Amino acid sequence: MEDEFGMKNLVLTVNKLQEIFAKLTMQIDIDLPQIAVVGIQSSGKSSVLEKFIAKDFLPRGSGIVTRRPLILQLINNEDEFAKFDHSPEIFYDFYKIQREIEAETERVVGGLKAVSSMPIVLKIFSPNVLNLTLVDLPGITKVPIGDQPSDIENQVREMIFEYITKENCLILAVTPANIDIANSEALKLAREVDPLGKRTIGVITKLDLMDSGTDAVDILENKIFPLERGYVGVVNRSQKDLDEKLDIKIAAELENEYFENHPAYKHMAHRMGTAYLQKVLNKQLVEHIFKTLPTLRDRLRKYLMGLEDEYNHIESTSNVKLMNEVINQLKQEFRSELDGYGQKEVSMKGLTTGATINEIFNIKLQKETFNMHSGGKDLRSEIGMTIRNVTGMYSNIFIPEKAFDRVVTYFIEKMKPVITKYVDEISMILQNNVRKYTDKINRYPNLREELRKLVITYIVEREVVCKDRLIEMVDSEMSYINKIHEDFCVFDEAKKIEEEDIVEKQEERFFMRGYMHVSGGLVSSERRWFVLTPDILCWYKDESEREMEGQIPLGNLKISDFKKSQFKLSEIEGKPIFKDSMSLKLICKSPEEAKEWIENMSRIGISYQKSSTLQRGESGVNIDTISIYGPETPFLTRKNTNFSRNNSVPKETYEPDKPVKHSTKVDQQVDTIKNLTEKYLMIVIKNTKDRVPKMITWLLINNVNNYIDKDLVTHFYENDIVDHAMQRPPSEQERIDNVKTMYSACKEALDIIDKEYERITVKYFD
Ligand SMILES: Nc1nc2c(ncn2[C@@H]2O[C@H](COP(=O)(O)OP(=O)(O)OP(=O)(O)O)[C@@H](O)[C@H]2O)c(=O)[nH]1
């Protein structure tokens, strides 16, 4: 077949491909047709290969000799010489090849008895060989011998599988005849990858060592473990022959004689022996290559197409174009993370940047600002304190608006850290995004660093601007409390309600009632029912209050001469107090009762003039302890009162360090202001919830997007740093070189196959 269609060149074609691909430092997944020689240690693999060439050239010794795969390319040639792929040296002396294999093995696996899958490629040109490519693999060993690694069996098995699992690999399973074929490790391995025995060729060695009376005819006739490609028996030189330096050519003749003369084998002698094996292998390899060539061509084409884009890109693209591509990629990734469009993979595990920002805007910010309007547990006391402080020494009848303003602004101010915290958070998210996407730019480290620095610096700048503007926004809210806001008509209402409430209470309430004796003949009976209101002191005959006997307006009165159970009321300016009486001396049942009347009168503004002669404790009641109510007393805030405001707190009764308990009036106002504050804050919160996301999106996110979109590329042009940015690291340069050589290798290989394919098909169809 090979002669007719020139098929023998096919092996040379594959050899050329092997040569091309062996030069590549990167592994290429192109499965070239070849024959791998598999067998246990000392099964005779090397002996068979040597006989093909009729030369002693393979290392010999005890233990594991073949420790790296040896790709043996046998090329039929007039002149005889050999050449390794790793060295330019041409070997005419085949003994030297042996030493070179040993040296090259040592170079990779060192002095250790370990193995390596890195092949040694040896081409042998000879008139004695048929074109054949064989891979001599280390022998399978069960038990590590001497200084062999403990996992030597696994190492060897893995290496063998690396070759024989490939569909294009024919398996030459070498089994010595002096072991039970059922235990043949070579056949067991072959069956694992080729269970139907379609690409396994059986070789039975050491037939001469079988016990006398036994033979391997059944195996050789393919009866025991049938293989589609059958078995060939060989007889190699024994150790004794080797020791006695039996010439290999003579050994080949002896082998032929062995088969021709052996009673069991002479009927099949023509298809036994190494020479026949070589022919069979050549034929099978050629046919195999012929069969697999179209698939190989397709695979190479696909491989080339895969490399083509990158190769053309490398060859034709300028730094400027490449830089634009990288920046465009960054733009797209950055944007798709934010707006959710164009994502290559939609994650089901974590939130994207856009979704996280959405959560901040619509959940976290909403929740936190909403919680703010309810204030803390001290809110009531804080509002009370504010009310008292804003009114100072005076009293308010109505809700002090200043207190309301103060409380509202206090709460609005509290929004600043909340809002800026979220600006920080979003800025961080954006910065992390930049880090994440620039991290991917590992082909151009300078560009990566520059982009990262630029965008992160810009984000931080925008973060500052955004925070400033949001703080301004809060400041503007604080600067003007819009009490006529359409959603806040409640303020006037509250005032009205409070006013009505006060009038109502004022009408109902009287300050103090009780019997007192009047000294000085002012009335006919000395004991009268007195009623103290905020405006007047009046008295009735009795507690039925049906008959009022007299009344004194309280506007200009003073109290004096408090002694034991009595005290005196007189006019400040010395005018008569009632009719012609200059004073009214009132006597109570007890000093305590007298003190109570004085306290209440003081509360509504009647001043107490301390008697100069009165000594502390003399009255039975310490007058210094009379409590004079402060300005927040309910009466003092009443509407239309005309009594004096000259009721400042006497120094001796003011105790600032004690826990503050607000008066009832302040409590009412606290409630009102708390309600109003909450209502007003709801308006502010509503504005804030609406405006903060808009401001952050506008001032930070959109600006950063625009910056990446428009200003980044310009930065590199303006500063003339495009080439610097696009410098590649050595590893990347190496990768590019590899792509180039890989591309060239595949192209060259494909050209060779195409030509060969054309040649065969033309001949075939002629
Ligand atoms: N009598 C006889 N001895 C053989 C035959 N084949 C190989 N031997 C001997 O068996 C021993 C091992 O032969 P090799 O060819 O080195 O075996 P190998 O399988 O290449 O060994 P490793 O590379 O170490 O796995 C040598 O001493 C050979 O002389 C044979 O057919 N008959």
Side-chain angles (χ1 to χ4, degrees), residues 37-51 58-67 136-140 174 176-178 204-209 234-243 255:
V37 187
V38 179
I40 55 164
Q41 260 183 44
S42 301
S43 55
K45 300 179 296 294
S46 306
S47 301
V48 173
L49 296 177
E50 276 184 333
K51 278 241 297 292
L58 290 173
R60 299 282 175 158
S62 58
I64 182 160
V65 178
T66 312
R67 288 187 288 142
D136 186 17
L137 291 166
I140 307 156
V174 180
N178 57 347
I204 307 296
T205 58
K206 302 190 182 179
L207 289 169
D208 59 313
L209 294 185
V234 294
V235 175
N236 302 312
R237 287 175 296 173
S238 66
Q239 190 56 46
K240 187 167 164 280
D241 297 335
L242 291 175
D243 295 342
E255 186 187 21

Side-chain angles (χ1 to χ4, degrees), residues 266-322:
K266 60 178 171 194
H267 68 284
M268 53 169 84
H270 63 284
R271 49 184 180 90
M272 291 292 131
T274 316
Y276 175 75
L277 177 63
Q278 195 178 180
K279 273 189 218 150
V280 168
L281 293 184
N282 170 268
K283 186 169 175 281
Q284 295 202 1
L285 184 63
V286 167
E287 282 173 4
H288 184 58
I289 294 172
F290 183 66
K291 250 198 248 168
T292 53
L293 208 59
T295 328
L296 184 63
R297 190 169 65 158
D298 287 350
R299 287 195 71 177
L300 261 176
R301 277 185 180 157
K302 273 194 193 137
Y303 207 86
L304 197 66
M305 267 161 64
L307 287 172
E308 208 143 42
D309 282 351
E310 198 169 2
Y311 177 80
N312 291 337
H313 196 251
I314 292 166
E315 284 296 288
S316 61
T317 317
S318 66
N319 275 346
V320 171
K321 201 170 166 205
L322 282 173

